[in-house]
Coordinates of all heavy atoms in Angstrom, one line a residue:
E278 N 14.3 14.2 9.2 CA 14.0 15.5 9.8 C 12.9 16.3 8.9 O 12.0 16.9 9.5 CB 15.3 16.4 9.9 CG 16.1 16.1 11.1 CD 17.1 17.2 11.4 OE1 17.3 18.1 10.5 OE2 17.7 17.2 12.4
A279 N 13.0 16.2 7.6 CA 12.1 16.9 6.8 C 10.7 16.3 7.0 O 9.7 17.1 7.0 CB 12.5 16.8 5.3
L280 N 10.6 15.0 7.1 CA 9.3 14.4 7.3 C 8.7 14.7 8.6 O 7.5 15.0 8.8 CB 9.4 12.9 7.1 CG 9.6 12.3 5.7 CD1 9.8 10.8 5.7 CD2 8.4 12.6 4.9
R281 N 9.5 14.8 9.6 CA 9.1 15.2 11.0 C 8.5 16.6 10.9 O 7.5 16.9 11.6 CB 10.2 15.1 12.0 CG 10.6 13.7 12.3 CD 11.5 13.6 13.5 NE 12.4 12.4 13.5 CZ 13.6 12.4 13.1 NH1 14.2 13.5 12.7 NH2 14.3 11.3 13.2
K282 N 9.1 17.5 10.2 CA 8.7 18.9 10.0 C 7.3 18.9 9.4 O 6.4 19.7 9.9 CB 9.7 19.7 9.2 CG 9.4 21.2 9.2 CD 10.5 21.9 8.5 CE 10.2 23.5 8.6 NZ 11.3 24.2 8.0
V283 N 7.1 18.1 8.4 CA 5.7 18.0 7.8 C 4.7 17.5 8.8 O 3.6 18.1 8.9 CB 5.7 17.1 6.5 CG1 4.3 17.0 6.0 CG2 6.6 17.7 5.5
A284 N 5.1 16.5 9.6 CA 4.1 16.0 10.6 C 3.7 17.1 11.6 O 2.6 17.2 12.0 CB 4.8 14.8 11.3
G285 N 4.7 17.9 12.0 CA 4.4 19.0 12.9 C 3.4 20.0 12.3 O 2.5 20.5 12.9
I286 N 3.7 20.3 11.0 CA 2.8 21.3 10.3 C 1.4 20.7 10.2 O 0.4 21.4 10.4 CB 3.4 21.7 8.9 CG1 4.7 22.4 9.1 CG2 2.4 22.5 8.1 CD1 5.4 22.6 7.8
L287 N 1.3 19.4 9.9 CA 0.0 18.8 9.7 C -0.8 18.9 11.0 O -2.0 19.1 11.0 CB 0.3 17.3 9.3 CG -0.9 16.5 8.8 CD1 -1.5 17.2 7.6 CD2 -0.5 15.1 8.5
R288 N -0.1 18.7 12.1 CA -0.8 18.8 13.4 C -1.3 20.2 13.7 O -2.4 20.4 14.2 CB 0.1 18.3 14.6 CG 0.3 16.8 14.6 CD 0.9 16.4 16.0 NE 1.0 15.0 16.1 CZ 2.0 14.3 15.7 NH1 3.1 14.9 15.3 NH2 2.0 13.0 15.8
E289 N -0.5 21.2 13.3 CA -0.9 22.6 13.5 C -2.1 22.9 12.7 O -2.9 23.8 13.1 CB 0.3 23.5 13.1 CG 1.5 23.4 14.1 CD 2.6 24.2 13.5 OE1 2.5 24.8 12.4 OE2 3.7 24.2 14.1
Q290 N -2.3 22.3 11.5 CA -3.4 22.6 10.6 C -4.5 21.6 10.6 O -5.3 21.5 9.7 CB -2.8 22.8 9.2 CG -1.7 23.8 9.0 CD -2.1 25.2 9.5 OE1 -3.2 25.6 9.3 NE2 -1.1 25.9 10.0
R291 N -4.6 20.8 11.7 CA -5.5 19.7 11.8 C -7.0 20.1 11.6 O -7.8 19.5 11.0 CB -5.3 18.9 13.1 CG -5.6 19.7 14.3 CD -5.1 19.0 15.6 NE -5.7 17.8 15.9 CZ -6.8 17.6 16.7 NH1 -7.3 18.7 17.2 NH2 -7.3 16.5 17.0
E292 N -7.3 21.3 12.2 CA -8.7 21.7 12.2 C -9.2 22.0 10.8 O -10.3 21.6 10.4 CB -8.9 22.9 13.1 CG -8.9 22.7 14.6 CD -10.2 22.0 15.1 OE1 -11.2 22.1 14.4 OE2 -10.2 21.5 16.2
T293 N -8.4 22.8 10.1 CA -8.7 23.2 8.7 C -8.8 21.9 7.8 O -9.8 21.8 7.0 CB -7.7 24.2 8.1 OG1 -7.6 25.3 9.0 CG2 -8.1 24.6 6.7
I294 N -7.9 21.0 7.9 CA -7.9 19.9 7.0 C -9.0 18.9 7.4 O -9.7 18.4 6.5 CB -6.5 19.1 7.1 CG1 -5.4 20.0 6.6 CG2 -6.6 17.8 6.3 CD1 -4.0 19.5 6.8
A295 N -9.3 18.8 8.7 CA -10.5 18.0 9.1 C -11.8 18.6 8.6 O -12.7 17.9 8.2 CB -10.5 18.0 10.6
D296 N -11.9 19.9 8.5 CA -13.1 20.6 8.0 C -13.3 20.2 6.5 O -14.4 20.1 6.0 CB -13.0 22.1 8.2 CG -13.3 22.5 9.6 OD1 -13.8 21.7 10.4 OD2 -12.9 23.6 10.0
C297 N -12.1 20.1 5.8 CA -12.2 19.7 4.4 C -12.8 18.3 4.3 O -13.7 18.0 3.4 CB -10.8 19.7 3.8 SG -10.1 21.3 3.6
L298 N -12.4 17.4 5.2 CA -12.9 16.0 5.1 C -14.4 16.0 5.4 O -15.2 15.2 4.8 CB -12.2 15.2 6.1 CG -10.7 15.0 5.8 CD1 -10.0 14.2 7.0 CD2 -10.5 14.2 4.5
V299 N -14.8 16.8 6.4 CA -16.3 16.9 6.7 C -17.1 17.3 5.5 O -18.1 16.6 5.2 CB -16.5 17.9 7.9 CG1 -18.0 18.1 8.1 CG2 -15.9 17.4 9.2
S300 N -16.7 18.3 4.8 CA -17.5 18.8 3.7 C -17.3 18.0 2.4 O -18.2 17.9 1.6 CB -17.2 20.3 3.4 OG -15.8 20.4 3.1
E301 N -16.1 17.4 2.2 CA -15.8 16.7 0.9 C -16.3 15.2 1.0 O -16.8 14.7 0.0 CB -14.3 16.7 0.7 CG -13.8 17.9 0.0 CD -12.4 17.7 -0.5 OE1 -11.5 17.7 0.3 OE2 -12.3 17.5 -1.7
V302 N -16.1 14.5 2.1 CA -16.4 13.1 2.1 C -17.4 12.7 3.2 O -17.6 11.6 3.5 CB -15.1 12.3 2.3 CG1 -14.1 12.6 1.1 CG2 -14.4 12.5 3.6
A303 N -18.0 13.8 3.9 CA -19.0 13.6 4.9 C -18.5 12.7 6.0 O -19.3 11.9 6.6 CB -20.3 13.0 4.3
K304 N -17.3 12.9 6.4 CA -16.8 12.1 7.6 C -17.0 13.0 8.8 O -16.8 14.2 8.8 CB -15.3 11.9 7.4 CG -14.6 11.1 8.5 CD -13.2 10.6 8.2 CE -13.2 9.6 7.1 NZ -11.9 9.0 6.9
A305 N -17.5 12.3 9.9 CA -17.7 13.1 11.2 C -16.5 13.8 11.6 O -15.4 13.4 11.4 CB -18.2 12.1 12.2
K306 N -16.7 15.0 12.2 CA -15.6 15.9 12.6 C -14.6 15.2 13.5 O -13.4 15.3 13.3 CB -16.1 17.1 13.2 CG -15.0 18.2 13.6 CD -14.3 18.7 12.4 CE -13.2 19.7 12.8 NZ -13.7 21.0 13.2
K307 N -15.1 14.4 14.5 CA -14.1 13.8 15.4 C -13.3 12.7 14.6 O -12.1 12.6 14.9 CB -14.9 13.1 16.5 CG -15.9 12.1 16.2 CD -16.6 11.5 17.4 CE -17.8 10.6 17.0 NZ -17.3 9.4 16.2
D308 N -13.9 12.0 13.7 CA -13.2 11.0 12.9 C -12.2 11.7 11.9 O -11.1 11.2 11.6 CB -14.1 10.1 12.2 CG -15.0 9.3 13.1 OD1 -14.5 9.0 14.2 OD2 -16.2 9.0 12.7
S309 N -12.6 12.9 11.4 CA -11.7 13.6 10.5 C -10.5 14.1 11.2 O -9.4 14.0 10.7 CB -12.5 14.8 9.9 OG -13.6 14.4 9.1

Side-chain angles (χ1 to χ4, degrees):
E278 275 193 352
L280 286 174
R281 291 191 203 101
K282 189 170 183 179
V283 174
I286 295 171
L287 194 57
R288 286 197 176 92
E289 291 171 1
Q290 305 302 328
R291 64 194 292 269
E292 285 284 344
T293 302
I294 298 174
D296 286 339
C297 293
L298 296 174
V299 170
S300 60
E301 278 192 284
V302 301
K304 183 171 288 188
K306 182 63 180 287
K307 59 181 175 58
D308 296 329
S309 297

